[in-house]
Amino acid sequence: MDLSDHEQSVSMPAGGARRGGSGVPGERRKQRVSMADVARLAGVSSQTVSRVANGHPGVIEATREQVLAAMRELGYRPNSAARALRYGQFNTIGVILFSLSSTGNSRTVEAIATHAAAQGYAITLIPIDVPTQDNVLGAFTRMGELAVDAVIVIMEIHLLDAGTVQLPPGVHVVVVDSDAGDRYSVVDTDQADGARKAVRHLLDLGHRTVWHVTGPGTSYAGQRRTQAWRAVLEEAGRPVPPPLRGDWSAESGYAAGLSLAGEPDCTAVFVANDQMALGLLRALHERGRSVPGDISVVGFDDLPEAAFFVPPLTTVHQDFAEVGRRCVQNVLRQVRTRGGARPGTDLVPTRLVVRGSTAAPRS
Amino acid sequence: MDLSDHEQSVSMPAGGARRGGSGVPGERRKQRVSMADVARLAGVSSQTVSRVANGHPGVIEATREQVLAAMRELGYRPNSAARALRYGQFNTIGVILFSLSSTGNSRTVEAIATHAAAQGYAITLIPIDVPTQDNVLGAFTRMGELAVDAVIVIMEIHLLDAGTVQLPPGVHVVVVDSDAGDRYSVVDTDQADGARKAVRHLLDLGHRTVWHVTGPGTSYAGQRRTQAWRAVLEEAGRPVPPPLRGDWSAESGYAAGLSLAGEPDCTAVFVANDQMALGLLRALHERGRSVPGDISVVGFDDLPEAAFFVPPLTTVHQDFAEVGRRCVQNVLRQVRTRGGARPGTDLVPTRLVVRGSTAAPRS
DNA sequence: GTCCACCATGTTCACGTAAACATCACGCCG
DNA sequence: CGGCGTGATGTTTACGTGAACATGGTGGAC
């Protein structure tokens, strides 16, 4: 396929003298093929072309065919900038997040993109390298200039709340992973319920108490899981062991596992995500503590790989696809009704998946 | 933050009578604040506002301040649709891919987004659910209408080559994971070299030959890894065991592992990615074959978790960030020079990371 | 047969921005 | 002291699209 000089060939519609004279080659080109070009070739007005392009009624079949033929011949494609200008909207949703590297984020984004596409919306990604205030602010400022009708924020919203940051007006917002349900539309996995299921599962198996490896302190999701873990233990009147601080990485889970291996009392652990659970399993394995013989382990996320850990990991399944779906649904409702943010929190349920890493304690 | 009625308040700039009369509320709103609004408040022409907005010289300091103040007061944000229309470009790169779920893809996309942002470009994601011809075509048709100056295709380009599909003219393309270097700009990890390193590492350790678990047959990357594996064995004059077909998933690796556990001759395996290696490790573990004691295993990708497999996985490190960086660099060069595709393949080197899953065979 | 309604199509205009050109005032130089 | 260049700012226009209104021709009803 020859892409090297197509612009020349299409930017000079048949017989078209360059407007404004001066045939300087570097001049700003007339962008591709416009309705006017099609109209000229088809021998109709550009309004008729517009009608055909948008499937409006009131165009006689013969004319329509003629226009379609001209479109094909010239390779006409509508100019979305002009469309957006005309309509005042872009049919695009912005997604602002720290990182795509976490499975949860990338799967959520994927679901968002898929559902948005089904609704005729495109997704614009705004990743933020380092979650500093400045970068967040910068991203939002950029966001304001971006061609975006709405924004989905996948991160802790409090990072935006220093007062100087202002969400651009006229842009609708849905937030994931945050407790800002009183000010924004929030869609999130039901972290607390998931954690409760995990801890109760371990207690039900007969463990006296459950240890815990946390996520990073900055993560709202992590905090909720830790809170729920503590709450379940307290409700059940069990001792609450000191939580081990993790950061979502397998490495931090490994470190936690090394510590736990030295705790003879420990028979059960709830790890705040599967990657840390992987590191923890390895540490326990290295130290000769068997899972689930000596220690039961529950993770969170249900990575596709979790079933293939050694042993297969019991974990809390998150439905990222559903989270993405609801984000899109919610934000598009706002867009379509021209409504503002509707505060409220929409929680997606979790499911405990029991595999081989949990068992009753040795009596 | 009150988002519920901001549009009303900003859509009626001070003293502005609604053009066209009829105050029907549902009417298409004058989109937010325009340069004209700012100009009116600042008491200058809109052209001066434009000059200030774009940092052009030739505006006296006092005037500039006045305009900036008016911008702040009205919360002016430039309209990117109008800008794009005016300039004929969108400052946006489209990324078309099948899935974000694979680590490689999501990390590549992340790098693309980051580097694009640094260059003032946004990223629009076009995921394709099912890699059928129709969907691909649909995506590209949509792409043509999308506000995109260039496209990065992260998939096998031959899926586009059935003749009916036509890349929209005027859109620059870079391809990842494909062998279309003769027609497109291709940026990719040096799959063959990585696979060679893996296989040679095993041979160097003294293994007589190396078994192989492939990726899906449709994957170009997978094919290249398999070809290189075969080539190294043939060059070394070693027997070439029948490859076991995988599909990137841990589950398929597990199945392959179960087969291999029954091959007494097998002392070394090169698995085409880390996730399959995980499944394979578990299968071998289950069947009581020790790694690396009985069988050495090498993966591909170097997931962050690979160091925490049991045992830690020797694998080929892919630099996804670099792939993303080069994609952006390449495609933006095309955009800026208005040049067409520059056929050619840009290979990013790999690195063998030796961990605990490989050792010399038991003699 | 005449008038009018209706339908296909054309014309005008605005969306917000910014390049190109126009204007106007001031100051410097001869 | 007059003319002209220079620099600040205003005016015009085009980018591509599509709603609103205009036009013009045809057929049916009286």
Side-chain angles (χ1 to χ4, degrees):
Chain A
M1 194 178 304
D2 179 15
L3 288 173
S4 62
D5 61 356
H6 48 81
E7 287 177 13
Q8 291 307 325
S9 58
V10 301
S11 67
M12 291 289 282
R18 219 181 241 274
R19 136 200 55 84
S22 106
V24 181
E27 218 180 356
R28 198 163 70 82
R29 65 167 186 264
K30 189 158 170 301
Q31 185 189 315
R32 300 196 198 103
V33 181
S34 74
M35 285 197 164
D37 300 323
V38 175
R40 210 172 306 135
L41 179 60
V44 299
S45 77
S46 62
Q47 182 56 33
T48 299
V49 177
S50 168
R51 281 189 266 255
V52 172
N54 296 307
H56 285 195
V59 179
I60 226 168
E61 192 52 29
T63 312
R64 168 184 306 276
E65 285 304 335
Q66 218 167 343
V67 170
L68 288 175
M71 281 180 172
R72 273 191 298 272
E73 180 172 341
L74 295 178
Y76 169 75
R77 293 181 302 133
N79 179 314
S80 40
R83 267 202 158 121
L85 177 58
R86 189 87 239 286
Y87 288 128
Q89 59 170 5
F90 303 93
N91 281 6
T92 296
I93 299 172
V95 177
I96 188 169
L97 38 52
F98 286 148
S99 165
L100 270 177
S101 300
S102 98
T103 331
N105 281 4
S106 66
R107 282 167 64 192
T108 304
V109 169
E110 178 162 37
I112 288 173
T114 302
H115 287 104
Q119 304 284 312
Y121 277 74
I123 288 299
T124 288
L125 268 192
I126 312 291
I128 310 182
D129 277 320
V130 187
T132 65
Q133 187 71 32
D134 276 354
N135 278 322
V136 176
L137 176 53
F140 263 88
T141 304
R142 248 184 291 143
M143 211 67 178
E145 298 175 12
L146 278 174
V148 154
D149 303 313
V151 173
I152 295 172
V153 179
I154 307 186
M155 63 180 188
E156 290 76 34
I157 195 75
H158 62 75
L159 289 165
L160 301 177
D161 284 352
T164 53
V165 182
Q166 196 180 344
L167 294 176
V171 170
H172 308 280
V173 180
V174 165
V175 176
V176 183
D177 191 16
S178 184
D179 59 349
D182 53 333
R183 287 167 305 142
Y184 298 100
S185 282
V186 172
V187 176
D188 200 358
T189 293
D190 193 342
Q191 311 288 352
D193 186 58
R196 261 182 253 124
K197 282 172 176 153
V199 178
R200 284 192 188 132
H201 168 64
L202 290 166
L203 294 183
D204 288 351
L205 283 171
H207 294 274
R208 183 166 153 270
T209 189
V210 175
W211 291 61
H212 177 52
V213 182
T214 73
T218 53
S219 163
Y220 173 73
Q223 289 170 24
R224 295 285 286 174
R225 292 174 200 173
T226 298
Q227 281 165 18
W229 157 76
R230 188 187 306 275
V232 170
L233 290 185
E234 286 174 352
E235 276 164 28
R238 308 301 173 91
V240 179
L244 290 89
R245 173 62 50 96
D247 63 5
W248 294 147
S249 75
E251 181 156 19
S252 69
Y254 178 76
L258 292 182
S259 299
L260 276 186
E263 297 281 350
D265 288 348
C266 173
T267 65
V269 199
F270 166 48
V271 187
N273 81 349
D274 285 358
Q275 287 170 65
M276 294 195 296
L278 176 68
L280 185 129
L281 287 177
R282 183 157 115 72
L284 295 181
H285 177 83
E286 264 181 20
R287 291 300 157 101
R289 308 290 307 256
S290 90
V291 176
D294 297 321
I295 300 185
S296 288
V297 178
V298 178
F300 205 109
D301 280 354
D302 194 23
L303 301 184
E305 290 78 34
F308 298 92
F309 288 3
V310 179
L313 187 67
T314 294
T315 188
V316 178
H317 181 85
Q318 284 202 71
D319 192 345
F320 296 109
E322 177 66 10
V323 171
R325 198 185 65 74
R326 292 195 193 180
C327 281
V328 171
Q329 180 186 315
N330 188 320
V331 86
L332 286 189
R333 181 162 20 85
Q334 291 185 37
V335 169
R336 287 181 174 142
T337 61
R338 297 211 189 293
R342 316 189 167 193
T345 302
D346 184 9
L347 291 181
V348 176
T350 59
R351 182 164 48 85
L352 182 72
V353 179
V354 179
R355 297 200 182 95
S357 67
T358 49
R362 269 176 210 162
S363 59
Chain B
M1 196 176 304
D2 180 16
L3 289 175
S4 61
D5 61 357
H6 48 80
E7 286 177 15
Q8 290 308 324
S9 58
V10 300
S11 66
M12 290 289 281
R18 219 180 241 275
R19 140 200 49 87
S22 110
V24 180
E27 217 181 358
R28 198 164 71 82
R29 64 167 187 263
K30 186 159 174 303
Q31 186 189 317
R32 300 198 198 104
V33 181
S34 75
M35 284 196 163
D37 299 323
V38 175
R40 209 172 308 134
L41 179 61
V44 299
S45 77
S46 63
Q47 182 55 36
T48 298
V49 177
S50 168
R51 280 190 267 256
V52 171
N54 295 308
H56 286 195
V59 179
I60 227 167
E61 191 53 29
T63 312
R64 168 183 305 276
E65 285 303 336
Q66 219 166 342
V67 171
L68 288 174
M71 282 180 172
R72 271 191 300 272
E73 179 171 343
L74 295 178
Y76 169 74
R77 292 182 303 133
N79 180 314
S80 40
R83 264 200 158 119
L85 176 58
R86 190 86 237 288
Y87 287 129
Q89 60 170 5
F90 303 92
N91 280 7
T92 296
I93 299 171
V95 177
I96 189 169
L97 37 53
F98 287 149
S99 164
L100 268 177
S101 298
S102 98
T103 330
N105 281 4
S106 66
R107 282 167 64 192
T108 305
V109 170
E110 179 162 35
I112 288 173
T114 301
H115 287 103
Q119 304 283 313
Y121 278 73
I123 289 299
T124 289
L125 269 192
I126 312 291
I128 309 182
D129 278 319
V130 187
T132 65
Q133 187 70 32
D134 276 354
N135 277 322
V136 175
L137 177 54
F140 263 88
T141 304
R142 248 184 291 141
M143 212 69 179
E145 299 177 11
L146 278 174
V148 155
D149 304 312
V151 174
I152 295 172
V153 179
I154 307 187
M155 62 179 190
E156 291 76 36
I157 195 76
H158 62 76
L159 289 165
L160 299 177
D161 285 350
T164 54
V165 183
Q166 195 181 345
L167 293 177
V171 169
H172 308 281
V173 180
V174 165
V175 176
V176 184
D177 192 15
S178 183
D179 59 349
D182 53 332
R183 288 168 304 142
Y184 299 100
S185 282
V186 172
V187 176
D188 200 358
T189 293
D190 193 342
Q191 311 287 352
D193 186 59
R196 261 182 252 124
K197 282 173 176 155
V199 178
R200 282 191 188 134
H201 168 65
L202 290 167
L203 294 184
D204 288 350
L205 283 171
H207 294 274
R208 183 168 152 268
T209 189
V210 175
W211 292 61
H212 178 52
V213 181
T214 74
T218 53
S219 163
Y220 173 73
Q223 288 171 24
R224 295 287 286 175
R225 292 173 200 174
T226 298
Q227 281 166 17
W229 157 77
R230 187 186 309 273
V232 170
L233 290 185
E234 286 173 351
E235 278 164 26
R238 309 301 174 91
V240 179
L244 290 89
R245 173 61 51 97
D247 64 5
W248 293 147
S249 75
E251 181 155 19
S252 69
Y254 178 77
L258 292 182
S259 300
L260 276 185
E263 297 281 350
D265 288 347
C266 172
T267 66
V269 197
F270 166 49
V271 186
N273 81 350
D274 285 357
Q275 287 169 66
M276 294 194 295
L278 176 68
L280 185 127
L281 288 177
R282 184 157 114 72
L284 296 181
H285 178 82
E286 266 181 18
R287 291 299 157 102
R289 309 287 307 253
S290 91
V291 176
D294 297 322
I295 299 184
S296 287
V297 177
V298 179
F300 206 110
D301 279 354
D302 193 24
L303 301 184
E305 290 78 34
F308 298 92
F309 288 2
V310 179
L313 187 68
T314 294
T315 188
V316 178
H317 181 85
Q318 283 202 69
D319 192 346
F320 296 109
E322 177 67 11
V323 172
R325 196 185 67 75
R326 292 194 193 180
C327 282
V328 171
Q329 180 186 314
N330 188 321
V331 86
L332 287 189
R333 181 161 21 86
Q334 290 185 37
V335 169
R336 288 181 175 143
T337 61
R338 298 211 188 293
R342 316 187 169 195
T345 301
D346 183 9
L347 292 181
V348 176
T350 59
R351 182 163 49 85
L352 182 72
V353 180
V354 179
R355 298 202 182 94
S357 66
T358 49
R362 267 176 213 162
S363 58

